Amino acid sequence: MLQTIPSCDAHLFSPQALAEARQRFFSGEAEPQGVAAPILRSWTRCAARGLPPVGGRLPAEPLAAGELNRRREQAEALRRRCRPELEALHADAALTGSIVILTDPSGLVLDTVGSADFADRAAQVALLPGVSWSEAALGTNAIGTALVERRPLEVRGAEHYAEAHGILSCAAAPILDPYGEVIGLLDLSGPAAVAQMHALGLVRLAASQVEHRLFEGAFPGHVVVRFHSDPSFLGTSREGILVFEDYRLVAANRPGLAQLGLGWDALKSCRYSDLFDGSLGRPGEERKVRSTRGDTLLARVEQPQARGATPRPEPRPAAPRAPATPEPCFDAATEQALGRAVRLMAAGVPVLIQGETGTGKDVFTRQMHARSSRAGRPFAAVNCAALPEGLIESELFGYEDGAFTGARRAGFKGLLREADGGVLFLDEIGDMPLGLQTRLLRVLQEREVTPLGGGRPVPVDFCLVCATHRDLKQLVDAGAFRADLYFRIAQYTVSLPALRHLPDREGLVRRFWRELAGDADAPVLSAECVAALARHSWPGNFRQFVGTLKVLHALAEPGGILGPEALPADMREAATPAGPTLPDPAAPDRAPPEGDLQAVTRATIQAALAACNGNISMAARRLGIHRSTLHRHLAGEGRPGKPS
């Protein structure tokens, strides 16, 4: 059975731990263990309202038929938009003993489809059309609590506030319109006794598909920008979408805001030039662009036509040309390791790359591919920490038609088979769930993939490269990573050094700046600025380093000289650092930080949190990782993550 990765949205606690947590909470004890943070917040809100968890009866009378019909008519546009998702989930929900639910923004159930048997049981607790499942009315439940929290989440069994609702296991995802307003919600509910491991991933995906279709033909006369860092996601529900009116951002989707590090408050307050460097080109043309944060994106612009002319994006006065991305830069030791890794890959020996976030593990692996005999064949990169948590198994191994609720009718090939003939890169393999590690080990041993839902095994041929910022040996000792898989993938290990441990960092700054600037009249870095950049701790390593140089180049005047005053505030303070700093290469008695990879990672995370005053979202952006990954690290250290 697939194990769900614990997080604030998807969580697995033992029934005993949950029962003990309920007893402690309802007896007045503070902060009970064994319950997820969103559930605890909801319990607290419900208790403050005086809702009874046991005994009594919460008001759950359905609306009269006439009033329900009126509310359905008001929500007709939403119901029409969601019909494909309801129909796609209908048949399999019936087979798995579940029902799919559509609600309006208040939590009023509009439609249910799926298992007739379970629908009858759900009706016993008023989970049926015409009943409002708002948190204020019925206590903690997936529908109402997801609407309050404005994000997808699960509520299983005894996590429901009302004891009577403990027969349910529910996963819900709100639907947001292009302006950030909740317009409805999709929910997948089944019996609590049956583990619905894919439920949260399915409703999250369904909601994102609905949100994606809301932009179809909705903004005539506006500039619509569609983009993603991965070209394969353009045209899918994962692409970012931004809508501009007179160069001002007026609408967006969640992936678009997330990729640019923005919140919904950016609407009406950000201009095109605040987000992107230069022009996006002709309508319909796909081209690489750079965000003002320094990220390279593939974008396509849809622009209105006016009198036969194509409006251009707003110009940036006196802006320098967009800087080029420097070529991969390895020190002599890493270059030698790269050569050995290429030879070993040709011999079929798996390679494991270790290093902190941003040290260039992806760049190193792509260079292995480019220099190998498989350079012209597929390169399939799988980020084990970034795949949708509820769908990670099906994304990797593929599935047959009807394998589970929401499966495509034609099935899905899977990412492992896409690597056939080339290189498979499993990034952040230390975050792979144990249950999935077992299946991966079988693939590596037998060199064949069996899709979910049965079917014949399919032979695969790929060279395997794995990467992680975690200490896999410690994970093996802790029982969080399979020892047999570790010895299978770590037959040759490359440890990439952190930027702060590299020699001649001032030379590195000058080399990267030359490649970024290029022009004869490009701005120049003063000696003091170079020294401050070399002295900085760079918790995000090369990813943060290159991004900062791009920002300096974009904001500098042509032909000018950049001094330390041009640097971000935390780097200007490098002369008198308050936190962890780089060792001074001129002082041989000062050794670099000691400790294994896990210790260095912990120190880097704590330094980032301290610099961001405990703000997890800001610290994650500073480290160049997703906040859910940072939450997992903090949970692994036994430190509760602060809401931010």
Side-chain angles (χ1 to χ4, degrees):
M1 181 69 70
L2 174 65
Q3 295 185 355
T4 304
I5 303 173
S7 76
C8 59
D9 296 329
H11 44 271
L12 286 173
F13 296 109
S14 71
Q16 180 180 355
L18 189 55
E20 292 174 354
R22 284 183 67 90
Q23 193 278 329
R24 286 194 298 270
F25 179 85
F26 292 118
S27 64
E29 295 185 29
E31 299 296 324
Q33 301 298 312
V35 60
I39 304 300
L40 182 58
R41 289 195 296 269
S42 177
W43 284 2
T44 303
R45 290 191 296 266
C46 295
R49 294 188 185 102
L51 298 181
V54 185
R57 184 172 179 82
L58 295 172
E61 292 298 322
L63 296 176
E67 179 62 15
L68 175 58
N69 288 336
R70 187 184 69 81
R71 297 285 289 271
R72 281 173 166 168
E73 290 174 2
Q74 290 177 342
E76 183 57 33
L78 171 69
R79 298 174 72 207
R80 187 173 62 252
R81 293 281 189 182
C82 295
R83 181 54 57 186
E85 278 63 44
L86 292 175
E87 291 182 353
L89 294 172
H90 178 196
D92 288 312
L95 292 175
T96 56
S98 306
I99 57 174
V100 185
I101 299 168
L102 173 66
T103 82
D104 72 3
S106 71
L108 180 78
V109 177
L110 298 173
D111 297 297
T112 64
V113 295
S115 167
D117 290 340
F118 182 70
D120 290 340
R121 294 183 58 195
Q124 297 174 10
V125 290
L127 186 56
L128 73 172
V131 175
S132 172
W133 275 72
S134 69
E135 185 184 86
L138 296 185
T140 306
N141 69 88
I143 293 172
T145 304
L147 290 173
V148 172
E149 298 272 336
R150 283 177 57 88
R151 60 173 172 173
L153 58 78
E154 288 182 299
V155 179
R156 300 180 174 182
E159 290 177 333
H160 289 84
Y161 187 82
E163 193 174 59
H165 300 158
I167 66 169
L168 304 174
S169 178
C170 311
I175 302 167
L176 273 57
D177 71 7
Y179 308 102
E181 298 297 325
V182 176
I183 61 172
L185 174 141
L186 285 169
D187 172 275
L188 186 60
S189 292
V194 178
Q196 302 287 342
M197 305 306 292
H198 292 288
L200 184 60
L202 288 169
V203 295
R204 180 189 286 129
L205 178 61
S208 68
Q209 289 171 335
V210 174
E211 293 175 357
H212 189 257
R213 289 201 302 273
L214 292 174
F215 288 84
E216 296 176 359
F219 294 96
H222 292 68
V223 174
V224 180
V225 180
R226 300 174 181 268
F227 63 97
H228 202 283
S229 58
D230 186 334
S232 64
F233 288 153
L234 271 184
T236 74
S237 61
R238 298 186 188 182
E239 70 178 354
I241 304 177
L242 304 180
V243 180
F244 295 91
E245 182 178 28
D246 294 331
Y247 308 114
R248 188 171 298 279
L249 181 65
V250 295
N253 69 347
R254 285 189 276 191
L257 295 175
Q259 289 185 68
L260 297 178
L262 303 173
W264 289 104
D265 56 352
L267 300 187
K268 300 294 182 67
S269 64
C270 285
R271 298 183 66 80
Y272 171 84
S273 56
D274 297 328
L275 306 176
F276 296 105
D277 288 324
S279 167
L280 285 171
R282 295 185 297 272
E285 177 187 26
E286 292 185 2
R287 57 177 296 186
K288 287 186 177 180
V289 299
R290 286 182 175 83
S291 72
T292 50
R293 300 201 317 168
D295 299 322
T296 300
L297 306 165
L298 187 70
R300 182 175 66 249
V301 63
E302 301 167 3
Q303 296 177 328
Q305 299 291 328
R307 297 181 181 178
T310 301
R312 306 292 291 176
E314 181 182 18
R316 300 187 62 171
R321 69 173 181 85
T325 300
E327 291 297 316
C329 176
F330 303 120
D331 60 4
T334 304
E335 189 68 37
Q336 291 178 359
L338 177 59
R340 289 193 293 269
V342 171
R343 292 195 297 272
L344 290 169
M345 187 169 69
V349 177
V351 175
L352 175 66
I353 305 170
Q354 292 185 299
E356 296 177 19
T357 296
T359 50
K361 298 186 289 293
D362 180 85
V363 173
F364 187 95
T365 305
R366 291 182 185 276
Q367 282 295 300
M368 288 177 60
H369 177 240
R371 301 185 191 189
S372 74
S373 59
R374 301 196 179 209
R377 299 182 183 180
F379 179 87
V382 182
N383 190 326
C384 300
L387 279 172
E389 295 172 356
L391 296 176
I392 183 171
E393 186 175 26
S394 57
E395 288 284 320
L396 281 175
F397 295 93
Y399 53 80
E400 297 292 325
D401 178 20
F404 56 84
T405 302
R408 301 177 192 174
R409 292 176 181 170
F412 176 58
K413 185 176 181 180
L415 296 172
L416 295 183
R417 288 167 61 188
E418 289 184 2
D420 189 38
V423 174
L424 174 65
F425 175 43
L426 297 180
D427 197 7
E428 302 301 355
I429 193 169
D431 292 307
M432 179 176 285
L434 274 171
L436 204 55
Q437 294 174 27
T438 302
R439 288 207 63 189
L440 175 62
L441 180 63
R442 189 176 303 117
V443 171
L444 299 180
Q445 291 172 338
E446 301 175 1
R447 288 290 168 174
E448 59 183 24
V449 175
T450 302
L452 297 179
R456 296 179 179 177
V458 180
V460 288
D461 168 36
F462 51 73
C463 292
L464 178 66
V465 183
C466 299
T468 181
H469 67 281
R470 309 184 70 180
D471 189 326
L472 292 188
K473 289 183 179 178
Q474 285 192 359
L475 293 180
V476 169
D477 293 341
F481 199 88
R482 290 184 61 106
D484 45 5
L485 178 60
Y486 171 74
F487 292 117
R488 170 74 65 168
I489 66 175
Q491 296 178 27
Y492 178 69
T493 300
V494 177
S495 294
L496 297 183
L499 193 155
R500 63 181 173 276
H501 294 157
L502 292 177
D504 189 20
R505 289 181 296 281
E506 291 193 4
L508 190 69
V509 172
R510 294 189 180 95
R511 183 258 184 189
F512 271 71
W513 184 256
R514 284 196 302 271
E515 292 197 20
L516 283 169
D519 296 340
D521 63 343
V524 177
L525 298 178
S526 70
E528 294 81 4
C529 188
V530 170
L533 287 166
R535 219 168 27 239
H536 189 63
S537 59
W538 299 112
N541 290 294
F542 283 98
R543 184 178 301 151
Q544 181 191 13
F545 173 64
V546 174
T548 300
L549 294 185
K550 289 180 179 179
V551 171
L552 290 175
H553 181 275
L555 298 179
E557 293 295 332
I561 298 178
L562 293 174
E565 69 279 355
L567 298 174
D570 58 338
M571 296 181 193
R572 290 199 300 270
E573 298 166 0
T576 55
T581 59
L582 296 171
D584 184 354
D589 58 319
R590 292 183 62 188
E594 295 184 355
D596 54 31
L597 181 60
Q598 192 75 8
V600 173
T601 301
R602 285 196 299 271
T604 302
I605 288 175
Q606 294 303 326
L609 284 169
C612 298
N613 296 320
N615 187 307
I616 289 179
S617 296
M618 188 182 300
R621 287 194 295 271
R622 185 186 182 98
L623 293 168
I625 61 177
H626 195 275
R627 61 175 290 164
S628 64
T629 301
L630 182 54
H631 272 296
R632 285 198 292 272
H633 281 294
L634 296 174
E637 297 174 14
R639 176 193 184 279
K642 287 178 60 178
S644 56

